[in-house]
Amino acid sequence: MTAMLGELPTWNLNDLYSSPSGTDLDADLKRAAADAASFAADYEGKVATLDGKALGIAIARYEALSDLMGRIGSYASLYYAQDMADPERGRFSQNVSEALNDASGKLVFFRLEINKIDDAVLATHLKEPALAKYAPWLRDVRVFRPHDLSDELERFLHDQSVVGSAAWSRLFDETIARLRYPFGNEMLTEPQILDKLSNKDAAVRKEAAKSFGKVQGENIAIFSLITNTLAKEKEIDDRWRKYARPQSFRNLANVVEDEVVDALVASVKAAYPKLSHRYYRLKAGWFGVERMPYWDRNAPLPESDDRVIPWGEAEKIVLDAYKAFSPELAAVGARFFGSGWIDAPARPGKSPGAFAHPTVPSAHPYLLLNYQGKVRDVMTLAHELGHGVHQVLAAAQGPLMADTPLTLAETASVFGEMLTFQSLLKSAPDPKTRKAMLAAKVEDMLNTVVRQIAFYDFESRVHGARRQGELTPEAIGEIWMAVQTESLGPAFTFDDEYRSYWSYIGHFIHSPFYVYAYAFGDCLVNSLYAAYQAGQADFQAKYLDMLRAGGVKRHKELLAPFGLDASDPAFWDKGLGVISGLVDELETL
């Protein structure tokens, strides 16, 4: 299999540091600690006395520290992700986290003191150009003013986090990395066994599904303990900070209004019957049955392209699709190849799934994949490259304002997938192949929209129920089954081991309520792509400007040039209509 994939790239982390024991890393760790202490000595207790120019200078120093500490943290995180089953890497990552936590603890006062500045005083300060450039960052810091605790409590929570949520997240990661799933005569990792669920052979899918569910079930006590503990910790934090509901912090961090997210969730749930229920009923008919076993959800159609796509071909497919849309976009994307910015092979112990890590603006992003040569893997490359390109373009906004709110963080990634899909669809040689490609795209969209909103619904119910007391593994499994049945519809049968399938989803652990960002991104991209297809003037230039904005603008400002408004409830129906239209086309084929 490896030979068929061609030579797969791996990371070169030397762009960050030479090695975990390198003198460059050691020097930067010492510099971060010294600079943080110096910053605190200069400004703690004095922020309210600074004029506009002095506050701008202070934020610039804080920003430089953020870049330095972000570089160190990124290196430790990426080094650990290469082999999470290696205790030495785990120890290194934890030690770096603790050192950075100690240094950043000295900076906690800064945001808190900024939030105590009176609105009118800050408005006057912002007339000073040195401070005005940081206005978007100040705006986003100050939305948390009503939820700040006392300085002492904030410091305690910051210091305690390394043995709190971060430690439970590490336990989850290392447990998943350690687990092995029997398959035939092999013992597979999580990415390898999940890959079998999209195999053309029904017997392979069944064996993989049963094995995965059995191993997750055997470890369900530890996953339930992690989930219960983190949900309770969140409830305590939310109560002290006076957040109205479990989702409120995430929405505030995403700079999106509760009612916008509520409208998205309501629209998707109302569309379950015409989207997922209808499509899977159609798929069951293609398979000649009334109801499919759950392991056939991602089963490829008999007509689908199951050849192995070598890495070099995947690179060409994606970059050509990007180039046909915008040569500038493709030129940024091309920088990721042949430069050690991508780690593609599936390896034991490696972080599962895929991600794009932005690191810091003074460096460059890194992409992690578990590439196994399927069309879906090509789409994953297109998706993560979209993130990477977005991160490169937004880096000019600097360490404090380059990060995009999660609601728009999935825009470039999903748009990259859409460009790649449309490019592949044009080259489909016959109607059968076109049908298989459309079906695969619909399934990807359902996984991005319906499945992620079902995940959000699951999280909402779990966090709500946890507020009444600890949940048994059986109770969590019941919530999972209820949500899955509602979202996937009557075309599926679920065996008992499926009750444990909630337990491998890392977003529930690392970023509660993150998942709606995927649905937000998909619906948004559907509307954006429709504007592009309609020949909207200067679309490419406006699109690149949107990516360059990073976290400087909010969703309303970013979408206005395209004539789109996510706060309009009809906006979501427009995006969902694109998916429904593809199902319509499949019904007629």
Side-chain angles (χ1 to χ4, degrees):
M1 173 71 167
T2 309
M4 295 167 75
L5 294 175
E7 189 176 350
L8 295 173
T10 55
W11 283 334
N12 175 11
L13 298 181
N14 290 349
D15 291 351
L16 297 172
Y17 292 102
S18 58
S19 76
S21 57
T23 54
D24 51 349
L25 176 60
D26 186 55
D28 271 3
L29 276 165
K30 286 173 180 167
R31 181 156 66 97
D35 287 358
S38 166
F39 185 86
D42 289 347
Y43 292 114
E44 189 163 11
K46 305 167 191 168
V47 174
T49 67
L50 302 176
D51 61 18
K53 185 175 183 181
L55 183 55
I57 291 168
I59 295 174
R61 276 182 66 182
Y62 181 82
E63 182 173 46
L65 255 172
S66 298
D67 192 87
L68 173 63
M69 292 165 73
R71 175 181 284 263
I72 297 167
S74 297
Y75 178 76
S77 173
L78 294 169
Y79 182 74
Y80 174 54
Q82 289 177 308
D83 187 357
M84 296 161 88
D86 177 359
E88 196 50 44
R89 288 180 187 249
R91 185 190 68 81
F92 167 72
S93 176
Q94 181 66 16
N95 287 346
V96 169
S97 291
E98 290 178 10
L100 290 176
N101 201 59
D102 289 346
S104 58
K106 296 180 175 68
L107 309 177
V108 170
F109 77 89
F110 192 54
R111 287 174 182 243
L112 296 172
E113 290 190 30
I114 282 174
N115 279 351
K116 290 171 185 165
I117 299 172
D118 183 76
D119 284 338
V121 173
L122 187 62
T124 303
H125 287 350
L126 281 166
K127 292 172 184 169
E128 170 60 50
L131 183 62
K133 66 178 280 196
Y134 293 111
W137 180 75
L138 288 165
R139 172 201 68 199
D140 292 344
V141 167
R142 285 168 74 82
V143 296
F144 292 100
R145 284 173 85 190
H147 308 288
D148 283 345
L149 303 176
S150 69
D151 293 12
E152 194 173 35
L153 258 180
E154 291 287 2
R155 267 202 201 87
F156 168 75
L157 288 172
H158 177 274
D159 288 353
Q160 192 256 355
S161 65
V162 287
V163 291
S165 57
W168 289 102
S169 290
R170 180 184 171 191
L171 176 61
F172 173 85
D173 288 340
E174 293 188 2
T175 303
I176 285 285
R178 174 181 54 79
L179 292 181
R180 294 294 178 269
Y181 305 86
F183 184 85
N185 298 320
E186 299 176 275
M187 296 297 285
L188 302 181
T189 63
E190 185 226 59
Q192 290 170 329
I193 195 80
L194 291 176
D195 182 62
K196 302 283 184 194
L197 294 179
S198 53
N199 192 282
K200 269 196 169 179
D201 186 333
V204 168
R205 295 194 298 271
K206 180 177 180 178
E207 183 184 350
K210 292 282 186 182
S211 175
F212 183 73
K214 182 173 185 290
V215 172
Q216 292 301 119
E218 288 166 353
N219 291 273
I220 204 67
I222 195 165
F223 291 123
S224 297
L225 175 61
I226 293 168
T227 300
N228 270 294
T229 304
L230 288 174
K232 183 60 181 176
E233 184 191 58
K234 184 169 184 358
E235 183 273 321
I236 295 167
D237 195 68
D238 287 349
R239 178 161 31 94
W240 276 79
R241 294 185 183 282
K242 297 181 170 57
Y243 284 116
R245 52 188 189 174
Q247 302 87 343
S248 297
F249 166 76
R250 177 66 59 205
N251 294 346
L252 206 57
N254 283 351
V255 279
V256 64
E257 302 77 13
D258 283 351
E259 53 271 22
V260 172
V261 178
D262 291 345
L264 164 65
V265 173
S267 295
V268 174
K269 289 178 79 171
Y272 284 170
K274 69 176 181 184
L275 298 180
S276 47
H277 297 189
R278 183 163 64 116
Y279 172 75
Y280 291 124
R281 193 164 55 241
L282 197 60
K283 183 171 183 175
W286 295 333
F287 278 65
V289 294
E290 274 193 34
R291 302 180 78 197
M292 297 181 286
Y294 72 86
W295 53 79
D296 282 350
R297 183 173 60 83
N298 286 329
L301 302 190
E303 307 94 316
S304 65
D305 182 358
D306 64 346
R307 68 192 173 94
V308 172
I309 300 169
W311 176 257
E313 187 180 338
E315 175 185 342
K316 186 175 187 317
I317 288 168
V318 173
L319 287 179
D320 283 355
Y322 275 47
K323 190 174 183 180
F325 169 72
S326 163
E328 186 179 348
L329 196 71
V332 178
R335 293 168 60 189
F336 284 79
F337 297 90
S339 53
W341 294 16
I342 302 176
D343 194 305
R347 295 187 303 271
K350 180 178 170 180
S351 178
F355 64 70
H357 194 310
T359 73
V360 287
S362 63
H364 60 76
Y366 284 89
L367 309 186
L368 179 138
L369 307 169
N370 279 275
Y371 187 82
Q372 298 180 71
K374 290 202 166 80
V375 172
R376 258 202 185 99
D377 293 315
V378 178
M379 290 299 176
T380 300
L381 172 60
H383 180 102
E384 299 305 336
L385 189 66
H387 279 307
V389 166
H390 194 174
Q391 290 158 357
V392 169
L393 291 172
Q397 299 295 350
L400 297 182
M401 295 180 289
D403 282 352
T404 308
L406 292 186
T407 43
L408 290 159
E410 293 299 333
T411 305
S413 51
V414 178
F415 198 85
E417 276 189 82
M418 180 64 93
L419 291 172
T420 305
F421 166 70
Q422 293 291 349
S423 172
L424 287 169
L425 192 64
K426 280 179 194 161
S427 61
D430 54 64
K432 274 190 171 182
T433 308
R434 180 181 174 83
K435 173 187 164 185
M437 290 177 71
L438 279 172
K441 181 59 179 171
V442 167
E443 290 188 13
D444 282 346
M445 289 171 130
L446 294 179
N447 285 336
T448 305
V449 177
V450 169
R451 184 167 167 82
Q452 301 302 327
I453 291 301
F455 284 176
Y456 178 84
D457 191 16
F458 170 75
E459 285 188 280
S460 299
R461 296 189 199 189
V462 166
H463 281 263
R466 181 64 182 90
R467 294 188 171 198
Q468 310 308 311
E470 180 157 301
L471 302 172
T472 63
E474 291 74 21
I476 301 174
E478 284 295 327
I479 295 171
W480 173 254
M481 294 304 292
V483 166
Q484 292 297 295
T485 305
E486 286 169 24
S487 60
L488 295 175
F492 286 103
T493 58
F494 299 100
D495 291 359
D496 199 53
E497 71 277 352
Y498 192 70
R499 291 174 178 274
S500 302
Y501 266 61
W502 60 270
S503 59
Y504 79 99
I505 295 154
H507 283 123
F508 298 159
I509 306 302
H510 302 307
S511 309
F513 303 104
Y514 176 107
V515 288
Y516 75 75
Y518 290 110
F520 198 111
D522 197 276
C523 289
L524 171 54
V525 163
N526 289 342
S527 297
L528 275 174
Y529 197 81
Y532 167 57
Q533 281 188 310
Q536 189 176 104
D538 300 322
F539 183 91
Q540 282 89 333
K542 288 190 280 192
Y543 178 76
L544 289 169
D545 283 345
M546 179 176 74
L547 301 189
R548 286 190 193 98
V552 168
K553 295 178 181 177
R554 295 188 169 181
H555 65 84
K556 236 179 166 56
E557 299 169 85
L558 286 167
L559 297 178
F562 303 96
L564 300 172
D565 180 4
S567 62
D568 176 4
F571 172 82
W572 303 114
D573 293 330
K574 189 187 300 182
L576 296 170
V578 173
I579 309 175
S580 188
L582 292 177
V583 181
D584 291 343
E585 186 175 346
L586 282 168
E587 283 183 328
T588 61
L589 278 174

